[in-house]
Amino acid sequence: MQRPIRGAKMEMGLESGLEDSEAASPQPSAMVELEGVCMPHEIKENWAAIRGFQARPDDLLICTYPKAGTTWIQEIVDLVQHGGDLQKCARAPIFERSPYIELFPPKPLSSGLELAEAMPSPRTLKTHLPVQLLPPSFWEHNCKIIYVARNIKDNAVSFFHFHRMNKLLPDPGKWEEFLENFVAGKIPYGLWLDHVRGWWEAKDRHPILYLFYEDMKEDPAREIRKVAQFLGIELMESVLKHIVHHTTFESMKANPMANYTTVPSFIMDHSVSAFMRKGTVGNWKEHFTVAQSERLDNIYVQELGNSSLNFRTQL
Ligand code: A3P
């Protein structure tokens, strides 16, 4: 019988601890429903522990729908917190510097919770959880949260290619099949719409800095200033420029501490599709048919048309 390998370890540096037999034929994680949201099964199995996670008042939480620019904002935040010191930010891969709290890889690998608990304060943590599933202690302690959202079309394309290269996620099939599942929310973390909208509404009652991938592309210095201000950190103009330079797509693609190439290829196969793939706004145009594009436009207008939440699909 084949033993499922846990899908959430996809973003961990699994340099050790995985058996050869597993390495030879990793199995994609099964998707299940958790409180109405499609999730990898290991998150549901460990739900009590995740839900009971003890946040600390000085925790900073980075939150995104998968493939919205998580790694980019993680690297920016780390550099801002360390005054642009590249050496300090090369201390470990990005997934160790800000643990992914709902990550539950098999033993002997540490879970995201274990990594977070062992981490001295102040911690920067990462989650993809939709707002209604966030562990309550983050709200109780009024922790600062940075949310990054990306337009639905580029987000879908990026998620499609991530499914292709990440052997622990289900095979996405053809683009049109994946898009059907994406629109139906039958993918990890459920509906994009619910995610971006839920967090957008939460920002009115909680310290949440809500950023957009497209704004970060358009004017990274402006968006990094917002991050520094939100964190109460003063950045000299020279440091800001330095951070902009080291967090460009090209710089991060070349940085093994940010580009996920330290994850073994039997888990993330960068020859199928690089983790740092395109890093642009508008790559969706190379994937969507006119009909698919119109369909998403209609969903968008119907669901977000009356909302103050606006996305750009091109710059
Ligand atoms: P693409 O697949 O469109 O290239 P996440 O970190 O949430 O998994 O998101 C990954 C996406 O963010 C990928 O998008 C990746 O290329 C992009 N990305 C990562 N770092 C970036 C950067 N510095 N600038 C622009 N895009 C970046």
Side-chain angles (χ1 to χ4, degrees):
M1 198 177 80
Q2 286 180 321
R3 182 158 66 90
I5 288 187
R6 289 148 171 80
K9 74 187 173 194
M10 61 201 171
E11 294 187 29
M12 285 293 279
L14 301 175
E15 289 85 358
S16 61
L18 213 67
E19 301 300 324
D20 279 354
S21 56
E22 288 178 320
S25 59
Q27 296 298 304
S29 180
M31 295 298 137
V32 294
E33 247 193 47
L34 173 66
E35 300 187 17
V37 182
C38 179
M39 287 285 188
H41 72 92
E42 65 281 358
I43 292 183
K44 185 167 184 173
E45 281 160 21
N46 291 287
W47 187 237
I50 296 168
R51 185 95 187 144
F53 177 71
Q54 286 307 303
R56 303 173 194 159
D58 57 357
D59 283 343
L60 171 68
L61 184 65
I62 289 174
C63 181
T64 58
Y65 188 78
K67 312 315 289 176
T70 330
T71 317
W72 191 10
I73 194 68
Q74 284 176 287
E75 189 68 16
I76 287 173
V77 163
D78 201 35
L79 278 160
V80 168
Q81 288 169 331
H82 291 92
D85 188 325
L86 295 184
Q87 263 187 334
K88 284 188 184 155
C89 295
R91 67 192 180 283
I94 195 68
F95 39 79
E96 287 176 20
R97 284 180 272 150
S98 37
Y100 174 15
I101 59 168
E102 68 268 22
L103 180 76
F104 263 84
K107 296 294 174 193
L109 296 164
S110 302
S111 68
L113 294 186
E114 286 166 335
L115 288 177
E117 277 157 15
M119 204 174 184
S121 292
R123 305 180 293 189
T124 300
L125 306 169
K126 161 187 161 182
T127 187
H128 290 310
L129 289 170
V131 71
Q132 73 278 17
L133 296 182
L134 189 72
S137 63
F138 284 101
W139 305 124
E140 285 155 16
H141 290 300
N142 213 29
C143 296
K144 286 187 181 175
I145 298 174
I146 299 180
Y147 186 85
V148 179
R150 187 178 194 183
N151 79 75
I152 187 169
K153 294 178 184 175
D154 282 322
N155 209 144
V157 168
S158 186
F159 214 178
F160 168 65
H161 289 292
F162 191 57
H163 274 73
R164 291 176 55 235
M165 65 89 75
N166 188 331
K167 301 304 165 202
L168 305 176
L169 287 175
D171 180 347
K174 293 199 173 116
W175 161 242
E176 50 269 31
E177 290 169 48
F178 178 80
L179 189 60
E180 285 306 317
N181 285 329
F182 183 85
V183 167
K186 290 183 186 161
I187 45 167
Y189 297 96
L191 280 173
W192 174 93
L193 273 166
D194 288 345
H195 209 283
V196 297
R197 187 168 40 200
W199 281 101
W200 179 252
E201 287 164 3
K203 78 175 181 9
D204 297 335
R205 49 181 195 272
H206 196 86
I208 296 172
L209 176 67
Y210 198 107
L211 301 175
F212 294 91
Y213 181 98
E214 295 74 26
D215 293 350
M216 290 164 65
K217 278 303 281 190
E218 181 180 65
D219 190 344
R222 179 188 64 206
E223 301 307 303
I224 294 170
R225 261 191 223 106
K226 286 185 195 167
V227 169
Q229 195 182 12
F230 182 68
L231 299 180
I233 295 171
E234 235 175 274
L235 281 187
M236 278 171 22
E237 211 48 28
S238 57
V239 175
L240 175 66
K241 273 195 184 146
H242 176 78
I243 295 176
V244 168
H245 176 71
H246 286 285
T247 53
T248 59
F249 177 73
E250 292 70 25
S251 294
M252 284 184 56
K253 191 175 172 74
N255 177 359
M257 292 297 110
N259 65 14
Y260 279 85
T261 53
T262 55
V263 177
S265 60
F266 58 81
I267 294 177
M268 285 192 187
D269 189 345
H270 294 254
S271 72
V272 173
S273 180
F275 184 95
M276 294 290 171
R277 195 182 59 88
K278 297 278 182 190
T280 58
V281 179
N283 179 241
W284 62 270
K285 291 176 190 166
E286 288 170 29
H287 293 74
F288 278 73
T289 63
V290 172
Q292 287 169 343
S293 175
E294 283 175 359
R295 181 171 173 214
L296 261 70
D297 290 342
N298 288 339
I299 294 174
Y300 181 88
V301 170
Q302 209 177 343
E303 297 283 338
L304 293 177
N306 292 327
S307 147
S308 53
L309 178 54
N310 294 311
F311 285 91
R312 291 183 289 170
T313 52
Q314 57 186 23
L315 290 180

